[in-house]
Amino acid sequence: MTLLRLDNVHTYYGNIHALKGISITVDEGEIVTLIGANGAGKSTTLKTISGLLYPREGQVYLDDELLTKHAAHDIVKMGVIHVPEGRRVFSRLTVMENLEMGAFTRTDKSGIQQDLERVFELFPRLKERRNQVAGTLSGGEQQMLAMGRALMSNPRILLLDEPSMGLAPVLVDLIFDTIRELNSQGMTILLVEQNALLALDVAHRGYVLETGVIALAGDAKELASNPQVKEVYLGGA
């Protein structure tokens, strides 16, 4: 069943035409990845879905609900949760306060407590550092916190933008193991990732963006073996 759908979306930055009529779908329970070079429109796509940017043409739907008529904070309440590039944690707040901010729109205290326990189970390091100021965490710990904060919002779909950026290989493995674990628990994920090899390995399906248009789409394994994708995005591997 399709959970998220973009139909012929055109998004601009001023006069710059960033997305040129893209159409994508994400089914419930899937991991779908967007890959492409810098400037291809991957992050712009996530920002358009989450309401940070408004398309001039085209529509975005969650189930059959039109997202493009809602403000960003209402889209959060609907369960579309965006983990932005660069983590963007509240650096002066503690780990615990950051996680509490993730649950800001919720009133179900028992559900919030259950999700907090889930976050600490996924990321034991956050439990150890729950009273530490977020700005003093390592980059990997901040990425864990950004993902944990998102989970505290009880998402229907998680939009992940470059979760491996700037992380040591061992932490990249941890983050992607967590993405797999979340998906095994039923989480739907739309993943933007510069490391195309990792992204296609974890995803079910993928889209290749080139300068605001979809150049290729299909099963992740098929894309990973596509000669064009191998040459351009996988280093000829």
Side-chain angles (χ1 to χ4, degrees):
M1 177 180 172
T2 299
L3 179 61
L4 179 73
R5 185 171 90 252
L6 280 69
D7 287 341
N8 191 36
V9 168
H10 294 254
T11 300
Y12 289 72
Y13 292 99
N15 293 322
I16 299 172
H17 197 174
L19 297 182
K20 303 170 184 175
I22 71 165
S23 297
I24 70 172
T25 60
V26 182
D27 291 344
E28 232 174 312
E30 270 193 316
I31 300 177
V32 173
T33 187
L34 305 178
I35 63 173
N38 287 334
K42 306 184 301 296
S43 294
T44 302
T45 301
L46 298 193
K47 290 176 182 177
T48 302
I49 295 166
S50 62
L52 298 176
L53 294 172
Y54 191 84
R56 289 193 194 174
E57 297 179 49
Q59 305 294 350
V60 181
Y61 296 90
L62 183 73
D63 288 331
D64 292 322
E65 178 71 20
L66 185 62
L67 289 186
T68 38
K69 70 178 183 180
H70 292 284
H73 62 273
D74 289 325
I75 292 173
V76 169
K77 291 178 183 178
M78 295 165 70
V80 179
I81 308 300
H82 188 172
V83 180
E85 181 182 348
R87 273 79 83 170
R88 305 287 182 88
V89 298
F90 298 104
S91 60
R92 296 186 181 183
L93 301 183
T94 65
V95 166
M96 192 66 188
E97 288 167 338
N98 268 269
L99 295 174
E100 289 169 347
M101 287 298 292
F104 183 75
T105 61
R106 298 175 63 181
T107 56
D108 56 322
K109 290 185 178 180
S110 63
I112 291 170
Q113 184 58 39
Q114 287 175 4
D115 283 338
L116 181 62
E117 291 168 4
R118 177 193 190 192
V119 168
F120 285 157
E121 185 177 336
L122 284 167
F123 302 113
R125 205 171 304 185
L126 295 183
K127 186 173 185 178
E128 295 168 7
R129 288 162 169 71
R130 59 187 177 275
N131 296 318
Q132 187 170 330
V133 174
T136 65
L137 299 174
S138 70
E141 290 164 347
Q142 288 189 20
Q143 184 63 54
M144 295 175 202
L145 180 55
M147 291 177 66
R149 182 181 61 191
L151 294 174
M152 291 299 296
S153 300
N154 192 26
R156 293 192 65 198
I157 183 168
L158 203 54
L159 312 180
L160 296 178
D161 196 351
E162 302 285 8
S164 77
M165 180 178 285
L167 301 186
V170 65
L171 291 174
V172 171
D173 290 343
L174 173 61
I175 292 299
F176 273 79
D177 285 346
T178 303
I179 291 171
R180 288 187 181 90
E181 175 61 26
L182 288 171
N183 181 247
S184 75
Q185 296 173 7
M187 182 68 66
T188 305
I189 298 169
L190 179 57
L191 170 67
V192 163
E193 175 55 53
Q194 193 67 34
N195 188 324
L197 193 61
L198 271 177
L200 291 172
D201 184 59
V202 77
H204 299 98
R205 292 189 299 113
Y207 294 89
V208 179
L209 268 63
E210 291 182 1
T211 58
V213 299
I214 294 170
L216 291 167
D219 178 84
K221 289 183 174 60
E222 291 175 1
L223 287 176
S225 62
N226 180 292
Q228 181 183 345
V229 174
K230 278 186 174 183
E231 179 65 30
V232 178
Y233 302 106
L234 307 181

